[in-house]
Amino acid sequence: MASLRLAETWTAMGGLYASGQAMTIGAYSPLGSQGSWIKGEILKEPSLIEIAEKR
């Protein structure tokens, strides 16, 4: 899997949006939902379980 460079990506997208060269797109997909590429395995991650238990 390629490493994510979120800070650089958000900075670049912010610049494009501010210049009018990009638009925002939103999407919603629950973790482990039917048809998800995740196949529910993410729901077994200890860090996610810890967060869920605190909520």
Side-chain angles (χ1 to χ4, degrees), residues 2-15:
S3 64
L4 298 175
R5 294 172 34 192
L6 295 177
E8 293 92 346
T9 300
W10 281 110
T11 300
M13 289 303 297

Side-chain angles (χ1 to χ4, degrees), residues 15-49:
L16 289 171
Y17 181 77
S19 70
Q21 297 179 50
M23 64 179 151
T24 59
I25 297 173
Y28 173 76
S29 178
L31 294 174
S33 64
Q34 185 178 22
S36 172
W37 61 274
I38 296 173
K39 305 290 186 217
E41 291 300 312
I42 190 74
L43 300 176
K44 298 175 186 172
E45 286 294 320
S47 57
L48 187 59
I49 292 169

